[in-house]
Amino acid sequence: MLRFYLSCLLAFTGGHMVNYTVILYLQEKVGSDWLSGVGFGLSFGSSLVFGWFAGVLCDRIAPARVIHGAQALFLLCLAGLWWTDASTTGQSRVIWTLFSAFLGGLAWSFVGPARLTTLGQIAPADKLKPATIVFNLQVLLGFGLAPVVIGVVRSHAGWPAVFATGMGLFVASSMLLLGTRTHGSDRPSLGVVRELREGFAAVGANPLLAQLIVAAIVAYAMTGPMQILLPKLAREVLGLSELQRGGYLGLMALALISGGVAALLLGKHLHHGAAIFVGTVTASLLFASLSYWSSAAASATALGGMGLLGGMVISFVIAGIQGQAPDALRGRIMGIYSIISQVVPAASGVAAGALVRSTGVTSAIAMAGLGLAGIALLSALAMPQLRRMRA
């Protein structure tokens, strides 16, 4: 298991490096915020189409093989960015950068469901939930480490070294997976559409699983407004310098990681259903409170508390979904979760962008936070099985 976790950490650090690199590269080399947004959309939006096929594939063949294929796509993405940087200019640079971003998005569509399905096969049944929380911690660590690695490597050796470092992380991650034994299904293929229907039917037949899926949607809906509104808040309301803004925004990654650690340490002692609802409501209210604070220290404290609770909630939600997923349908169900984790933040981010243009940053933060808190409260009333879930 240790080799698998380390492989996850390297892969998710490399994967988030791809996302940040696409955004930063288009901003710096092309000079377009709009194109950087398109690149971000390609890096995650592909999951909305290909994530369904990924779940089916992970139930058909050994998911470890799917991981290797997805990481090969990440290598192609980084190789494409490297070639683009060295050999193109002008419009062709834009086209090839966006094509490389699409390859990265395609890889993301498959790597998440494949790793979660692999975990479900190699972890003992009685250890699956805590193992999933540890897995989610690797995701959060990778998210936090990626911009740091890019900053350090780029400051010393430029973009080619960033591309090479990302490729090295994926190669090492795949090497660590060698010898991991997973299995596919023995039954004949029924066709993608029919197998997808089986996955949705399994979710519909299990009220707790369905409610965990809804809880994931609510929890991830907060991340889009955070990504869109917090940089604007730090600059326009708190008046932070560029370095201070980096520290303020970096606090969120650190707090999310701390939340994952807290979920791992406290998981046996907390009522998971109550923790999910209370944590989501409180985190939403803390987000809304950011519209009130003019002090950077007070704002950072609220932001840290929000990230801590968010990391804990997501860890409990994904562990619950993993624990409820039937083995034969695990790939499809974890595929649904992976699509939610990528598409919902993008969609809520678009909504937050429209809101801030019409109301201003402080009003947008207050409305988004209070709205999400209200949705979480209504969800708690409407989802009795999840309220009763202990661990």
Side-chain angles (χ1 to χ4, degrees):
M1 288 296 293
L2 182 59
R3 286 166 60 91
F4 177 76
Y5 290 139
L6 181 55
S7 173
C8 289
L9 177 60
L10 296 177
F12 286 119
T13 301
H16 287 296
M17 282 181 66
V18 168
N19 299 342
Y20 280 111
T21 294
V22 167
I23 294 170
L24 295 173
Y25 188 83
L26 286 167
Q27 287 177 338
E28 178 184 301
K29 294 289 188 175
V30 180
S32 172
D33 289 332
W34 180 78
L35 284 174
S36 71
V38 173
F40 177 76
L42 287 171
S43 295
F44 275 130
S46 301
S47 180
L48 186 58
V49 176
F50 297 103
W52 310 109
F53 298 94
V56 170
L57 187 64
C58 290
D59 284 333
R60 286 184 180 177
I61 68 174
R65 292 170 56 191
V66 181
I67 296 174
H68 287 300
Q71 296 192 174
L73 285 172
F74 273 125
L75 288 172
L76 284 176
C77 167
L78 288 163
L81 290 171
W82 197 341
W83 177 83
T84 299
D85 183 62
S87 306
T88 64
T89 57
Q91 191 65 26
S92 63
R93 171 170 286 179
V94 173
I95 293 171
W96 284 106
T97 301
L98 293 178
F99 177 71
S100 299
F102 168 75
L103 291 177
L106 189 60
W108 272 117
S109 300
F110 287 86
V111 77
R115 284 195 173 271
L116 284 164
T117 307
T118 297
L119 180 63
Q121 292 188 11
I122 66 175
D126 61 333
K127 302 293 184 183
L128 183 54
K129 282 192 174 182
T132 305
I133 293 176
V134 175
F135 168 87
N136 193 55
L137 184 56
Q138 311 312 307
V139 178
L140 296 173
L141 282 170
F143 175 75
L145 285 174
V148 176
V149 174
I150 290 175
V152 171
V153 174
R154 185 177 162 213
S155 64
H156 286 85
W159 282 115
V162 172
F163 306 141
T165 300
M167 294 174 77
L169 289 174
F170 284 115
V171 170
S173 174
S174 292
M175 294 292 289
L176 286 167
L177 279 181
L178 295 177
T180 299
R181 295 186 177 183
T182 57
H183 58 83
S185 174
D186 295 329
R187 73 174 190 174
S189 171
L190 301 176
V192 172
V193 174
R194 185 170 174 182
E195 291 183 39
L196 283 174
R197 287 176 180 168
E198 286 184 346
F200 284 113
V203 173
N206 184 336
L208 177 55
L209 179 57
Q211 291 171 19
L212 283 163
I213 293 290
V214 174
I217 294 172
V218 175
Y220 276 110
M222 192 187 305
T223 60
M226 282 165 37
Q227 291 176 319
I228 297 298
L229 300 177
L230 289 182
K232 198 172 182 66
L233 177 77
R235 182 176 63 253
E236 296 182 4
V237 177
L238 300 178
L240 302 180
S241 67
E242 184 173 352
L243 181 61
Q244 290 171 330
R245 286 200 301 271
Y248 180 80
L249 298 175
L251 175 63
M252 174 54 64
L254 181 61
L256 286 169
I257 294 167
S258 300
V261 173
L264 183 63
L265 296 177
L266 301 176
K268 293 182 178 180
H269 309 290
L270 292 178
H271 187 290
H272 286 199
I276 288 169
F277 287 122
V278 173
T280 304
V281 171
T282 305
S284 300
L285 293 175
L286 285 172
F287 182 60
S289 77
L290 295 176
S291 64
Y292 174 79
W293 306 111
S294 57
S295 162
S299 184
T301 301
L303 181 65
M306 181 180 69
L308 179 71
L309 291 171
M312 184 182 297
V313 166
I314 290 297
S315 295
F316 286 152
V317 168
I318 187 176
I321 293 173
Q322 183 77 282
Q324 291 295 313
D327 287 339
L329 301 169
R330 191 177 304 280
R332 277 160 281 183
I333 290 172
M334 300 321 295
I336 293 172
Y337 168 80
S338 295
I339 291 169
I340 289 169
S341 70
Q342 296 177 34
V343 174
V344 170
S348 64
V350 171
L355 186 62
V356 73
R357 281 195 298 271
S358 61
T359 65
V361 63
T362 54
S363 296
I365 288 174
M367 292 170 66
L370 292 174
L372 288 168
I375 291 172
L377 281 172
L378 290 174
S379 299
L381 295 174
M383 296 194 286
Q385 285 83 6
L386 184 52
R387 285 202 312 269
R388 293 194 292 267
M389 186 182 78
R390 294 189 175 275

